[in-house]
């Protein structure tokens, strides 16, 4: 059974993709990479395919036609990774906002410390965000306060997108029923893990906003999260979470 696979969704990440791949491949621990590219017109997929020759059986790409959303990209990647027997499955951005070196710390939290889910957290030790305007920091932080109040989860960074899942978590959560695609997708995944009583930990990281390329965040995605949390909570009253 292969152990680690890092899933990275991309759309127009030509400025970052080679550097992020090389950094992950240079880590002491052994990580494979699966890129889910949503039809990037800037040549992202072409660059990845050229690098596959250098990293055979370590670097994979799944191409989709058009922007289908972050959540559906990860769901696609989860299914791909489960089918191929990976034990630890990671979410990570392509733009270096997540430091690839922290993958090793997430791996240790699950492999050595025995947690089912390890979340790279911006807020478990103060506020560790670099290059964000104060308005966005406050919006993100208080989104966490709101999510904790509605859902009852204790996770300080419920919208985080830097995560390690043990395969059992993704086998248990009904991935075909996950409804949301943006920030709300990240909350919905953690809420499901919480309701199924998996052991979740937060690993402190420093989040650095992208310096190259264009952010995909929008007010529409944030609004989805605000309303989505209430919908998730109501849905949870009518579901069974036995495993």
């Amino acid at each position: 059974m292969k152990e680690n696979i890092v899933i990275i969704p991309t759309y127009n990440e030509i400025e970052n993709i080679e550097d992020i791949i090389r950094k992950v491949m240079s880590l002491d621990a052994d990580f494979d990479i699966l890129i889910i590219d949503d039809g990037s017109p800037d040549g992202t997929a072409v660059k990845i395919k050229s690098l596959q020759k250098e990293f055979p059986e370590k670097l994979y790409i799944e191409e989709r036609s058009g922007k289908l959303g972050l959540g559906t990209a990860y769901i696609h990647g989860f299914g791909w990774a489960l089918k191929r027997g990976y034990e630890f499955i990671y979410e990570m951005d392509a733009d270096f906002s997540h430091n690839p070196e922290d993958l090793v710390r997430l791996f240790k939290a699950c492999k050595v410390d025995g947690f089912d889910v390890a979340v790279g957290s911006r807020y478990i030790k103060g506020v560790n965000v670099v290059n964000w305007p104060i308005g966005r920091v406050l919006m993100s932080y208080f989104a966490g306060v709101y999510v904790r109040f509605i859902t009852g989860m204790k996770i300080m960074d419920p919208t985080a997108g830097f995560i390690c899942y043990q395969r059992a978590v993704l086998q248990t959560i009904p991935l075909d029923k996950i409804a949301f695609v943006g920030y709300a997708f990240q909350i919905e995944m953690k809420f499901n893990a919480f309701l199924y009583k998996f052991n979740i930990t937060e690993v402190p990281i420093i989040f650095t906003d992208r310096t190259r390329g264009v952010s995909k965040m929008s007010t529409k995605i944030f609004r989805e999260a605000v309303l989505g949390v209430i919908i998730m909570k109501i849905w949870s009253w009518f579901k069974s979470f036995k495993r």
Side-chain angles (χ1 to χ4, degrees):
M1 180 179 289
K2 303 191 81 172
E3 195 160 49
N4 296 301
I5 184 82
V6 182
I7 301 172
I8 304 177
T10 56
Y11 182 78
N12 284 353
E13 291 290 355
I14 192 64
E15 295 174 283
N16 295 301
I17 196 62
E18 180 171 1
D19 289 345
I20 199 82
I21 289 169
R22 291 192 182 282
K23 182 61 179 177
V24 173
M25 294 301 183
S26 73
L27 297 172
D28 290 338
D30 188 29
F31 294 93
D32 293 352
I33 299 174
L34 169 64
I35 309 289
I36 311 292
D37 187 69
D38 274 4
S40 298
D42 69 346
T44 298
V46 174
K47 172 56 70 175
I48 295 162
K49 290 174 184 176
S50 72
L51 290 168
Q52 283 183 305
K53 300 168 188 173
E54 188 175 341
F55 302 107
E57 299 185 11
K58 295 280 294 173
L59 175 61
Y60 304 93
I61 181 171
E62 290 282 288
E63 295 181 83
R64 307 193 303 169
S65 56
K67 296 178 71 173
L68 301 176
L70 181 75
T72 65
Y74 277 126
I75 296 296
H76 183 100
F78 293 158
W80 187 100
L82 289 172
K83 189 181 296 184
R84 287 158 181 81
Y86 286 93
E87 186 61 35
F88 302 102
I89 300 167
Y90 302 76
E91 295 183 12
M92 191 176 78
D93 290 349
D95 59 8
F96 284 95
S97 55
H98 303 139
N99 184 345
E101 293 182 3
D102 288 328
L103 287 167
V104 179
R105 298 170 62 228
L106 296 179
F107 173 61
K108 179 180 178 295
C110 289
K111 173 76 170 184
V112 178
D113 300 335
F115 288 97
D116 301 307
V117 181
V119 178
S121 177
R122 297 164 289 189
Y123 305 122
I124 194 67
K125 289 186 176 179
V127 177
N128 292 304
V129 177
V130 178
N131 292 341
W132 264 9
I134 188 63
R136 188 167 174 187
V137 173
L138 291 172
M139 182 176 73
S140 175
Y141 181 82
F142 284 106
V145 174
Y146 169 74
V147 171
R148 289 191 295 278
F149 175 74
I150 298 293
T151 65
M153 292 192 294
K154 304 302 182 187
I155 299 172
M156 290 298 295
D157 196 356
T159 63
F162 193 24
I163 306 163
C164 174
Y165 292 102
Q166 292 248 25
R167 69 177 285 111
V169 179
L170 300 180
Q171 287 175 318
T172 301
I173 294 173
L175 298 176
D176 59 333
K177 300 293 198 311
I178 296 296
F180 297 100
V181 297
Y183 261 12
F185 164 79
Q186 301 292 5
I187 300 165
E188 188 177 6
M189 287 294 298
K190 296 178 188 71
F191 192 35
N192 271 272
F194 167 76
L195 291 169
Y196 280 108
K197 295 183 168 35
F198 285 106
N199 293 319
I200 305 170
T201 190
E202 290 184 87
V203 175
I205 64 163
I206 296 174
F207 179 96
T208 304
D209 197 22
R210 67 164 64 235
T211 57
R212 293 181 292 180
V214 179
S215 173
K216 314 303 189 298
M217 177 51 61
S218 68
T219 54
K220 178 182 177 183
I221 290 172
F222 186 75
R223 285 198 305 271
E224 178 199 65
V226 172
L227 296 174
V229 172
I230 296 173
I231 294 169
M232 286 176 221
K233 181 63 177 179
I234 293 170
W235 283 353
S236 74
W237 297 337
F238 302 98
K239 293 181 179 179
S240 173
F241 295 93
K242 294 179 182 178
R243 58 182 173 102

